[in-house]
Amino acid sequence: MNPRTPKSAPAMASPTRPDNYVLVVFGATGDLAKRKLLPGLFRLAAGGLLPKQYRIIGSAPRQFSLSDSDFKKHAKDAVEEFGGITPTPEAWQNFEAALSFASADPDDTAPLLAAVDLAEKEIGSKPRRLFHLAVPPAAFRSMVELLGASKLNVGSRIIIEKPFGTDLASAVALNKTVHSVFDESQVFRIDHFLGKESVDNILALRFANQLFEPVWNRDHISHVQIDVPETLSIEGRANFYDATGAFRDMVVTHLFQVLGVIAMEPPSKLTAEALRNEEVKVFDALVSINPKHVVRGQYEGYLQEDGVAPNSTTETMVAVEAKIDNWRWSGVPFYLRSGKSLGANRQVVTLGFRQPCLKMFAIDRESKGSGSGGEIVIDFGDPGSITSNFLAKEPGPVMRLGRASMVFEYQNSFNAANELEGYEHLILEAMLGDQSLFTRADGIERLWEVSAPLIENPPPVEPYARGTWGPDSINRLIAPHAWHLPET
Ligand code: BG6
């Protein structure tokens, strides 16, 4: 995870506050709960965005069980360490009064049932229930079945973490299990990239302005890059990562979702149904990934990491050329790259524009971006920015072109105190029952379907030095274009 700047609680009250809730976090002693969920829930509470009455029950299998007071301490430590916020005594007291802990195992659901029952009685008049499955993917199935067997599914909502399956067959099987217990309208498959302010802002940029949409197509755009390099390595996650790799960890989930937002047609209205229909249409039009147009890299020293198989061929970085076979994007390659131990921590979409058809000016063909027709660069790492790079006349007697840019920066334009982190935003949306920013069963299955040729026939991994941008072949993959990152 990226280090985050210290934050205050979001200042703006939500236009609609969720109904009263009992929220159960499965995996409450795990990494995700510590880094994101507990700090996020506290910030939502402190910002007045949680329901008037709520209870948060931390849950885990009995061998990780905590007492209520230990869970409260665990939550406070998590908020202080990862929320970048020191709670005021009053805010903390209010929040911790809502916390309790109950173990849950398929063969023993009694503690959880008792805790939910107590929380509901304390709130009174039938609060809603939300279950957050912040557990390893291998446990999704048994947790869903546990909820079905104990009837806790009835009328409840469920947030399911990524990765949703490891291939098409497992995603189909998991959807089948989920649908045997929950209706799709109760299911919120979370991808925290979709909760990022600056990813949502792509919808605003494209569809709230007349300026961009007319050029957002194959006639004007030569290629698109979705680039999410990370400097961190696998950081003790070998167990998960060595079985997963960069493609499953980042591309099938986060990067394809961003691609959906960049590439979708304008939805007829801003509803979950209309938005998700358009997103799934993009996935339908994706061409199956050709393994010949993929680079898989492994950072030097990966095989020596604790818990990594000595002969592992898992990729720690991947670069993929994706194609969308539809009227808008035919012939426009989308280059997706992500990986660990790379040269910088960035989250960037770059739209490269075609050169003007009349070449009046001498253009430096070596220079990328604006030198070849301009680019729009959307930095969707918090707090985010949008830059339009273009060519301008340099002052002086001769007509010489220089690179120039127009920049929108979130932090200088709006009240950053209102910003919600991806998880905070999505937990709130799930409580409100709005599925717009959550992935749908058919969309997920389609992404695994187009990924099948690569999963079945991956090219060999190539080594790269830590702190670089991957093996040299990433440049051949994108030629004749060039990676926007690193910025020169
Ligand atoms: C997670 C991946 O889903 O996203 C991690 O499992 C990755 O490997 C993380 O580091 C990146 O998200 P963020 O928002 O922390 O940059």
Side-chain angles (χ1 to χ4, degrees):
M1 312 275 159
N2 302 336
R4 292 172 52 77
T5 43
K7 294 198 147 189
S8 56
M12 187 183 59
S14 169
T16 34
R17 216 167 169 179
D19 298 334
N20 292 342
Y21 258 96
V22 174
L23 167 62
V24 179
V25 180
F26 290 115
T29 53
D31 198 54
L32 180 65
K34 192 167 65 183
R35 287 171 184 269
K36 301 272 189 182
L37 306 186
L38 294 167
L41 285 165
F42 173 74
R43 278 182 20 91
L44 286 174
L49 299 175
L50 284 187
K52 273 205 178 109
Q53 297 256 32
Y54 66 91
R55 294 288 181 278
I56 298 168
I57 303 173
S59 187
R62 71 176 82 77
Q63 72 264 32
F64 302 114
S65 194
L66 297 179
S67 66
D68 286 354
S69 58
D70 283 349
F71 179 53
K72 289 175 190 192
K73 174 157 188 332
H74 176 77
K76 190 160 188 216
D77 292 346
V79 169
E80 288 178 350
E81 188 177 352
F82 294 105
I85 190 169
T86 310
T88 63
E90 194 197 350
W92 182 255
Q93 255 170 23
N94 289 341
F95 184 67
E96 81 165 0
L99 301 183
S100 64
F101 196 92
S103 66
D105 292 276
D107 62 349
D108 185 10
T109 51
L112 179 64
L113 285 169
V116 171
D117 190 48
L118 177 65
E120 290 185 348
K121 287 206 174 99
E122 283 173 357
I123 293 177
S125 60
K126 277 240 135 279
R128 289 184 180 274
R129 289 182 205 137
L130 176 64
F131 297 97
H132 193 139
L133 261 54
V135 294
F140 288 165
R141 193 173 169 169
S142 64
M143 298 315 297
V144 167
E145 286 169 353
L146 178 154
L147 291 171
S150 57
K151 301 271 183 291
L152 284 170
N153 60 325
V154 180
S156 304
R157 292 177 174 145
I158 182 168
I159 296 179
I160 305 181
E161 277 298 329
K162 53 142 292 226
F164 196 90
T166 51
D167 57 13
L168 178 60
S170 57
V172 169
L174 183 55
N175 273 328
K176 209 166 154 206
T177 306
V178 170
H179 289 152
S180 69
V181 174
F182 291 96
D183 182 76
E184 181 68 19
S185 63
Q186 297 172 276
V187 182
F188 295 76
R189 292 176 198 77
I190 201 165
D191 186 308
H192 73 282
F193 274 42
L194 288 181
K196 287 175 186 274
E197 297 277 9
S198 34
V199 173
D200 295 355
N201 188 42
I202 296 170
L203 293 175
L205 177 80
R206 292 189 54 195
F207 303 135
N209 300 290
Q210 180 65 22
L211 183 58
F212 303 103
E213 200 47 26
V215 295
W216 207 271
N217 56 52
R218 64 191 300 271
D219 296 335
H220 300 278
I221 292 176
S222 61
H223 74 290
V224 178
Q225 301 175 30
I226 304 175
D227 205 359
V228 184
E230 296 180 286
T231 51
L232 47 75
S233 66
I234 56 165
E235 317 251 305
R237 293 166 81 210
N239 231 355
F240 162 76
Y241 199 87
D242 201 37
T244 306
F247 181 75
R248 288 184 171 99
D249 185 38
M250 295 297 287
V251 177
V252 189
T253 50
H254 307 317
L255 272 63
F256 274 154
Q257 294 302 325
V258 176
L259 176 144
V261 178
I262 291 288
M264 70 166 63
E265 295 300 313
S268 54
K269 41 188 165 340
L270 211 53
T271 61
E273 190 187 5
L275 265 167
R276 300 203 303 175
N277 282 346
E278 293 308 333
E279 191 189 51
V280 173
K281 277 193 223 162
V282 173
F283 300 157
D284 278 342
L286 267 177
V287 178
S288 289
I289 304 294
N290 181 345
K292 287 196 183 126
H293 297 163
V294 173
V295 173
R296 293 169 71 241
Q298 190 181 76
Y299 65 77
E300 285 164 8
Y302 174 72
L303 296 180
Q304 282 75 53
E305 298 269 17
D306 264 359
V308 167
N311 53 355
S312 169
T313 56
T314 298
E315 78 284 354
T316 59
M317 74 76 57
V318 67
V320 173
E321 182 190 88
K323 289 190 170 151
I324 303 171
D325 200 6
N326 67 12
W327 198 271
R328 185 185 288 263
W329 294 115
S330 177
V332 179
F334 281 66
Y335 297 102
L336 317 181
R337 171 172 65 175
S338 186
K340 305 290 185 196
S341 291
L342 292 179
N345 250 340
R346 296 291 301 274
Q347 307 188 326
V348 177
V349 173
T350 306
L351 298 115
F353 282 81
R354 296 190 189 285
Q355 290 187 16
C357 39
L358 185 59
K359 298 190 180 51
M360 296 194 293
F361 303 98
I363 288 179
D364 170 9
R365 290 189 185 273
E366 289 307 303
S367 77
K368 41 187 191 174
S370 52
S372 58
E375 58 189 10
I376 292 178
V377 182
I378 302 169
D379 187 326
F380 62 96
D382 293 331
S385 65
I386 300 174
T387 304
S388 172
N389 291 327
F390 60 97
L391 293 171
K393 181 190 172 299
E394 284 182 5
V398 280
M399 175 53 92
R400 198 164 55 208
L401 301 182
R403 296 179 70 168
S405 56
M406 294 187 280
V407 185
F408 154 79
E409 280 175 335
Y410 254 99
Q411 60 190 357
N412 297 331
S413 307
F414 293 115
N415 182 357
N418 292 346
E419 186 200 345
L420 292 182
E421 198 266 344
Y423 269 103
E424 294 164 13
H425 185 186
L426 293 173
I427 291 171
L428 193 59
E429 292 297 320
M431 285 189 162
L432 291 167
D434 188 334
Q435 293 179 308
S436 303
L437 300 176
F438 294 86
T439 58
R440 206 167 68 186
D442 51 348
I444 291 275
E445 288 178 14
R446 174 66 187 155
L447 292 178
W448 284 118
E449 188 178 34
V450 300
S451 303
L454 174 63
I455 290 172
E456 284 157 19
N457 208 358
V461 282
E462 301 169 47
Y464 63 94
R466 287 172 190 242
T468 63
W469 294 84
D472 284 347
S473 42
I474 55 162
N475 297 318
R476 288 193 289 280
L477 179 81
I478 201 169
H481 311 292
W483 292 99
H484 174 80
L485 296 175
E487 275 151 349
T488 46

